[in-house]
Amino acid sequence: MFEQYQKARIQFVQTVAELAATSKRTNIEPLRDAGVMALLRPLLLDVVPTVQHTAALALGRLAVHNDALAEAIVKADILPQLVHSLVKQNIYYKEAAAFVFRAVARHSPELAQNVVDSGALDSLVACLEEFNPAVKQEAAWALGCIARHNEELSMAVVDAGAVPLLLLCLQEPEIALKSIAASAISDISKHSPELAQTVVDAGAIGHLCPLVMSPNVMLKKQVFSALSQISKHTVDLAERVVEAEIFPAVLTCLKDSDKCVQKNVATLVREIAKHSPELAQLIVNAGGVAAMVDFVRETTGNVRLPGIMMLGYVAAHSEMLAMAVIVSRGVVELSRALDEEQEEHIRAATAWSLGQLGRHSPEHAKAVAEVNVLPKLLHCYLSTSSSEDMQLKAKKALKNLLQKCVHLPALEPLLHDAPPNILKHVVAQFSKVLPHDAKARRVFVTTGGLKKVQEIKTEPGSALQEFINTINNCFPEEIVRFYSPGYSETLLERVEQYNPMTAQ
């Protein structure tokens, strides 16, 4: 009878674990409704180790599915029980227990806080010192799931002493362990400069940077993510990453076969370039702008986004850096992205970058305007289907470009389509150029520009009226009258009133 009892318990926990492993909710909900949590809990203290760790495994598999099941584990007071028994159990139990902590913590900050409140952090950190790599891997993963939610939880992980042990995991031979440790470091670093500095002070950059050229896709993805999260906070942290001499080698990873690796590399370059002209210049000198323009041409969607933003950040720093982007055909690729992309946030970022490229000088603005960007930005601004952010960034980009652009052929279409708040900037630019350019004045008349200006309704004494007066003063009075609204009717009236006999 005792053997049957032993066999029945083992069979029960194994069956629950197998049912919980499936992604089908047809199994999960009946298990929950049957009160399986309460049935599994006493088995965590079973005298048979196989029953213990399989029960923990089943609980973890249930908790992974949704936050309701994770909350049920918390309410059943299972977490403190796992913590209490963790130090005395074998590696299989420790791995399964760490899996439960991860499965619960991943869902929300509140559930992650429950894991912390149960006292699990010290046990998870202790698991990082285990010899078995599977235990260390699961513990590192759980710590990352706790840290990712917010700064407070991340600081709790740091205070528990996890960072030095996570860095030791980066030196282990197992690729999966390295990847998960790098992911946990990324999750810790992302919340604040202080947390990132703590990670850097522990030696993270020296351990991460040698891994950037790893042949393993998963490892590279997590390493680039961690370096990005470190770099994004301050100039000093970004410089620390650059000092590890990752350029120009990392730029080759922009052509990696894995889209996620590509995106994370582009994000890293963006986070470094945004901080200062000096860092942006370093990237330019390493061939980073040309590589990023190729990246923007060859990618689409959210993978493309950090590349688009990086070009804008570089261009924002100075005239010279903006010209480096222009010379590398960055304007052409950004204009193409504005046409191709469907997601509003990507198009808004593209509009912003184009505005940064053209805002420095007439030469910069002309380079942007010549690829027909102005009408595209105007359409984005005026379209009722555009998001508020898209409209705002398109409007700002238009103003940046119009305040510098003196390339009249690019400005003229906007005379006919722009609303008053944009039109005043367009007319202002014509008023600057026409007094000094006879050829431009002739073209302005023959293309209908002068006629359109006379049709603009303005408030007397407004800035727009002043700009129009300046333009009108560039032409003979009879020409201005000829193109003014109602002049043809005036001529017809004069024809009717004209008496040839009197004239003789």
Side-chain angles (χ1 to χ4, degrees):
M1 289 292 292
F2 181 73
E3 289 180 1
Q4 287 182 327
Y5 175 59
Q6 293 277 60
K7 184 177 180 181
R9 295 199 319 283
I10 293 171
Q11 187 175 2
F12 170 72
V13 292
Q14 287 178 338
T15 301
V16 173
E18 288 169 6
L19 289 171
T22 180
S23 61
K24 294 181 180 178
R25 295 189 62 83
T26 50
N27 289 341
I28 303 304
E29 291 181 6
L31 285 171
R32 182 192 60 191
D33 296 341
V36 74
M37 302 291 185
L39 297 172
L40 289 171
R41 183 185 174 187
L43 297 177
L44 293 172
L45 300 175
D46 198 275
V47 294
V48 179
T50 301
V51 174
Q52 291 176 356
H53 79 252
T54 308
L57 178 64
L59 286 167
R61 287 177 175 175
L62 287 167
V64 160
H65 281 279
N66 59 54
D67 53 358
L69 289 166
E71 286 172 7
I73 287 177
V74 172
K75 289 176 181 177
D77 215 25
I78 288 171
L79 297 181
Q81 187 172 325
L82 287 170
V83 173
H84 178 71
S85 56
L86 194 61
V87 291
K88 301 179 287 186
Q89 299 296 341
N90 61 33
I91 58 172
Y92 303 107
Y93 185 92
K94 290 179 178 180
E95 181 184 354
F99 172 44
V100 177
F101 294 135
R102 166 170 72 89
V104 172
R106 69 191 287 266
H107 292 290
S108 69
E110 293 75 22
L111 285 167
Q113 188 64 55
N114 288 139
V115 173
V116 173
D117 293 342
S118 73
L121 281 181
D122 289 340
S123 298
L124 288 169
V125 171
C127 285
L128 292 177
E129 298 185 88
E130 286 285 334
F131 178 76
N132 184 274
V135 174
K136 287 193 279 195
Q137 179 177 316
E138 202 60 64
W141 203 342
L143 290 165
C145 285
I146 294 168
R148 72 178 52 162
H149 292 293
N150 58 46
E151 185 177 353
E152 183 181 354
L153 287 165
S154 190
M155 187 61 73
V157 171
V158 170
D159 291 342
V163 172
L165 294 171
L166 287 170
L167 296 180
L168 286 176
C169 290
L170 287 176
Q171 302 169 61
E172 296 286 352
E174 292 81 14
I175 294 295
L177 177 56
K178 287 176 185 281
S179 300
I180 290 169
S183 176
I185 291 166
S186 177
D187 288 327
I188 292 168
S189 303
K190 71 182 182 181
H191 299 291
S192 71
E194 293 75 21
L195 283 164
Q197 190 66 56
T198 299
V199 168
V200 170
D201 290 343
I205 292 174
H207 294 302
L208 287 167
C209 288
L211 302 175
V212 296
M213 301 310 291
S214 167
N216 184 271
V217 168
M218 182 57 69
L219 179 55
K220 280 194 293 188
K221 181 174 74 172
Q222 300 301 342
V223 167
F224 283 123
S225 174
L227 290 172
S228 299
Q229 299 295 356
I230 291 169
S231 300
K232 75 179 185 182
H233 294 290
T234 66
V235 175
D236 180 62
L237 288 168
E239 287 176 346
R240 294 283 292 273
V241 173
V242 169
E243 286 166 5
E245 298 183 351
I246 59 172
F247 291 100
V250 297
L251 297 174
T252 61
C253 296
L254 287 170
K255 295 183 179 295
D256 195 274
S257 58
D258 184 83
K259 295 296 182 185
C260 195
V261 171
Q262 289 182 338
K263 181 182 177 182
N264 287 2
V265 176
T267 302
L268 170 61
V269 179
R270 178 193 71 190
E271 298 298 352
I272 293 172
K274 75 181 184 182
H275 286 295
S276 70
E278 293 76 20
L279 285 169
Q281 187 65 59
L282 184 146
I283 291 171
V284 170
N285 294 344
V289 165
M292 199 62 75
V293 170
D294 289 343
F295 172 79
V296 171
R297 182 176 63 250
E298 295 164 3
T299 56
T300 58
N302 281 314
V303 176
R304 194 186 218 172
L305 179 59
I308 289 170
M309 294 180 68
M310 178 269 186
L311 295 177
Y313 279 127
V314 170
H317 286 304
S318 70
E319 290 185 24
M320 186 174 66
L321 288 167
M323 191 54 69
V325 177
I326 291 169
V327 170
S328 297
R329 294 181 56 79
V331 174
V332 175
E333 296 308 325
L334 289 172
S335 176
R336 195 162 67 87
L338 195 61
D339 289 333
E340 293 176 349
E341 292 298 336
Q342 301 300 314
E343 295 287 338
E344 285 286 278
H345 68 284
I346 301 174
R347 300 179 74 234
T350 307
W352 173 81
S353 290
L354 287 165
Q356 299 308 308
L357 277 165
R359 71 181 179 85
H360 295 286
S361 74
E363 186 180 4
H364 291 79
K366 180 181 178 182
V368 176
E370 280 183 328
V371 296
N372 202 36
V373 161
L374 295 177
K376 295 177 186 178
L377 290 173
L378 182 63
H379 175 74
C380 292
Y381 171 51
L382 296 178
S383 175
T384 55
S385 62
S386 292
S387 67
E388 184 178 347
D389 185 52
M390 176 77 254
Q391 291 176 333
L392 185 65
K393 286 188 168 60
K395 178 184 177 183
K396 181 65 174 175
L398 269 172
K399 287 186 175 182
N400 283 344
L401 290 163
L402 291 175
Q403 286 168 358
K404 294 294 181 181
C405 185
V406 291
H407 183 56
L408 300 189
L411 292 173
E412 194 153 326
L414 273 66
L415 278 175
H416 303 276
D417 302 322
N421 61 328
I422 299 296
L423 187 61
K424 67 180 180 182
H425 297 289
V426 179
V427 176
Q429 296 309 98
F430 278 99
S431 72
K432 293 176 185 176
V433 176
L434 292 176
H436 312 289
D437 191 331
K439 184 178 178 182
R441 292 197 292 271
R442 179 182 179 85
V443 172
F444 190 64
V445 172
T446 57
T447 58
L450 183 61
K451 182 176 185 295
K452 177 60 184 176
V453 165
Q454 306 316 307
E455 295 169 355
I456 297 173
K457 296 179 180 179
T458 64
E459 293 290 330
S462 64
L464 180 55
Q465 184 62 59
E466 292 300 317
F467 297 144
I468 292 173
N469 291 342
T470 302
I471 292 172
N472 288 344
N473 289 336
C474 296
F475 300 93
E477 186 179 347
E478 61 269 23
I479 294 293
V480 175
R481 285 204 310 270
F482 181 80
Y483 286 107
S484 298
Y487 186 68
S488 57
E489 284 79 9
T490 302
L491 287 178
L492 287 172
E493 287 178 11
R494 290 180 61 185
V495 169
E496 291 174 358
Q497 296 169 2
Y498 182 71
N499 187 337
M501 301 303 294
T502 305
Q504 290 178 359

